[in-house]
Amino acid sequence: MRNYILWRTAFRSIFKNKRRSFLTMFGIIIGIAAVITIVALGNGFKRNILADSTGTDQTGQTKYINIKYNDFENMVKEDSGISQTDKNMAANIPEVKEVSYYKASKKDSNPTVDFYDKNTKLNMVVEPTKETSLTMLAGRQLTPADSDGLNKVVVLDEVVAKQLFGSKENALNKAFDLKGQVFTIVGIAENTSGEISPQNYEPLAFFPKKTYTRYLGSKEDHSVLAIKFNPQADQHVAMDKVLKQLNVNGESRLQGEYQDYDPSAEIKQLGSMLDQMTFFIGAVAAISLFIAGVGVMNMMYISVSERTREIGIRRALGANARSIKRQFLFEGIVLTLSGGVIGYVLGILIAFGASLALPFSVRPDLMTVLISIGTSVIIGVGFSYLPASAAAKKELIDILK
């Protein structure tokens, strides 16, 4: 029997029992929709993270250098980083074409700033902001008037207030010294991001944006050098030459080691972790597809049982066992593929609706299409094979009995 006739017969059989077919497909629809929703949201989140953290030269023509410091205090001190003298030293090497300080592109127009006080050993992140909308325990919020008026005020997290002043009550209206500039504490905010530690990247002190820029400035990041070599130079040899020169004569050679650095390595690692997490959650959701597959197998066995007369007629007219098996396999594939397509559309719509409340977008991609179609076909073949084989093994003499 020709393939197009098998497809047409399969669709006709499904529409003949619409209610039963839909109830069988329902499990496929829910399972595929759940997997597609999770994968689409995971991919959207990953794209957002990677897009927000790019800035490296993807052509491979630029190499990067940073300093691996011997201790934490050297890393966070105010004059840390690669000096202008070191930059000029690297630029004077014959193989080097151009040297600049690497700037990571960030969409965030309101970046956080690391702060470390060597006297109190207080390590935290501070944030310049136009205004705050925090849960206050004492005092007031920052307002746009504070920024426009260059008011030297600050709102502290309660954990900072307790560490510096013993309690939030004692901290209010006291002086807070940041890099030689004194700010008045006008508010204490409820802690929502945990204790003070180098691993806590959430801001724990908030300053009026224009005030912070006016008195503390926006210091250029000198932690990474971006080096372009002459086209004819061997990049690996030239890079080793630059590193050797800096480690022998560099101004920071006593504080740490100059090393080859890939700014995108951590982002790539994060992307890989997100992929693994998405895969794991998607695999858990896919368990429902196995249950739905059992439902497909049950329906196919019922269909074979109900159509024994039809199978007998086809065998009498000359149909062989292979043709009978293909007919029922095609019916199972059509059933699961239809459910997969509906589930894919439903999953993308759910993911798109969820993304409206999230800071990233969701869009269909080839991977989600392949997951939907591939999974549907595999379930159709896997769970229809035994019923189709049972139909193919029916002999005409047994049917006539």
Side-chain angles (χ1 to χ4, degrees), residues 46-305:
K46 179 183 174 182
R47 282 193 298 267
N48 181 70
I49 291 292
L50 295 179
D52 195 37
S53 305
T54 55
T56 58
D57 181 5
Q58 301 299 320
T59 65
Q61 296 177 352
T62 303
K63 300 297 182 181
Y64 303 90
I65 292 176
N66 74 345
I67 301 175
K68 182 181 180 181
Y69 287 98
N70 298 327
D71 55 65
F72 181 74
E73 189 167 334
N74 280 321
M75 182 177 69
V76 297
K77 67 181 182 180
E78 193 170 346
D79 60 347
S80 65
I82 301 175
S83 68
Q84 187 68 43
T85 302
D86 291 346
K87 178 185 173 185
N88 294 336
M89 188 185 304
N92 288 331
I93 293 176
E95 292 85 353
V96 174
K97 179 181 179 181
E98 179 184 335
V99 181
S100 60
Y101 289 112
Y102 166 69
K103 297 179 181 178
S105 63
K106 295 182 179 180
K107 293 181 181 178
D108 188 5
S109 60
N110 202 23
T112 56
V113 181
D114 290 317
F115 166 62
Y116 175 75
D117 184 90
K118 63 182 179 181
N119 296 319
T120 61
K121 303 298 182 184
L122 182 66
N123 179 75
M124 65 179 181
V125 173
V126 304
E127 180 176 353
T129 182
K130 187 176 181 180
E131 60 182 319
T132 57
S133 55
L134 307 166
T135 302
M136 304 301 294
L137 300 177
R140 65 175 179 85
Q141 307 273 6
L142 295 182
T143 66
D146 290 320
S147 181
D148 294 337
L150 300 179
N151 296 338
K152 297 183 73 173
V153 294
V154 60
V155 170
L156 294 183
D157 188 286
E158 61 176 310
V159 296
V160 181
K162 289 178 181 178
Q163 178 165 331
L164 293 179
F165 302 99
S167 69
K168 58 180 182 294
E169 292 80 11
N170 292 337
L172 201 61
N173 298 318
K174 294 292 177 59
F176 180 77
D177 189 303
L178 177 62
K179 298 180 182 179
Q181 298 292 332
V182 178
F183 296 80
T184 301
I185 302 170
V186 295
I188 308 299
E190 180 182 3
N191 176 260
T192 59
S193 59
E195 295 300 316
I196 303 169
S197 72
Q199 290 74 39
N200 187 358
Y201 297 104
E202 295 297 321
L204 297 175
F206 303 86
F207 299 84
K209 190 171 185 179
K210 292 181 180 179
T211 306
Y212 189 94
T213 303
R214 168 66 176 80
Y215 291 101
L216 297 168
S218 52
K219 182 183 176 182
E220 185 179 10
D221 185 6
H222 289 179
S223 60
V224 179
L225 275 186
I227 302 178
K228 288 186 179 180
F229 296 99
N230 294 320
Q232 66 274 16
D234 185 322
Q235 289 194 8
H236 296 289
V237 174
M239 186 65 168
D240 290 340
K241 190 173 181 180
V242 173
L243 289 173
K244 183 177 179 180
Q245 178 75 348
L246 290 174
N247 280 313
V248 171
N249 300 309
E251 290 190 349
S252 299
R253 64 187 182 278
L254 299 179
Q255 284 77 43
E257 178 186 0
Y258 296 85
Q259 63 178 2
D260 191 356
Y261 173 65
D262 182 5
S264 62
E266 294 179 0
I267 303 302
K268 292 176 182 177
Q269 185 178 6
L270 176 59
S272 177
M273 292 174 59
L274 290 174
D275 285 338
Q276 293 176 19
M277 186 179 299
T278 300
F279 176 78
F280 174 75
I281 298 174
V284 173
I287 294 175
S288 62
L289 291 174
F290 179 81
I291 300 173
V294 175
V296 172
M297 181 183 288
N298 182 57
M299 177 183 170
M300 295 305 298
Y301 270 120
I302 293 174
S303 180
V304 169
S305 177

Side-chain angles (χ1 to χ4, degrees), residues 304-356:
V304 169
S305 177
E306 292 177 344
R307 294 160 63 185
T308 300
R309 182 184 180 88
E310 176 189 333
I311 295 171
I313 294 173
R314 288 195 59 201
R315 294 301 298 269
L317 293 175
N320 56 28
R322 181 172 179 271
S323 179
I324 299 294
K325 179 186 287 188
R326 288 178 64 203
Q327 177 185 351
F328 284 94
L329 274 177
F330 271 56
E331 288 184 15
I333 293 172
V334 167
L335 185 70
T336 56
L337 190 58
S338 300
V341 171
I342 297 172
Y344 174 80
V345 174
L346 180 61
I348 287 294
L349 290 176
I350 294 173
F352 180 77
S355 71
L356 295 178

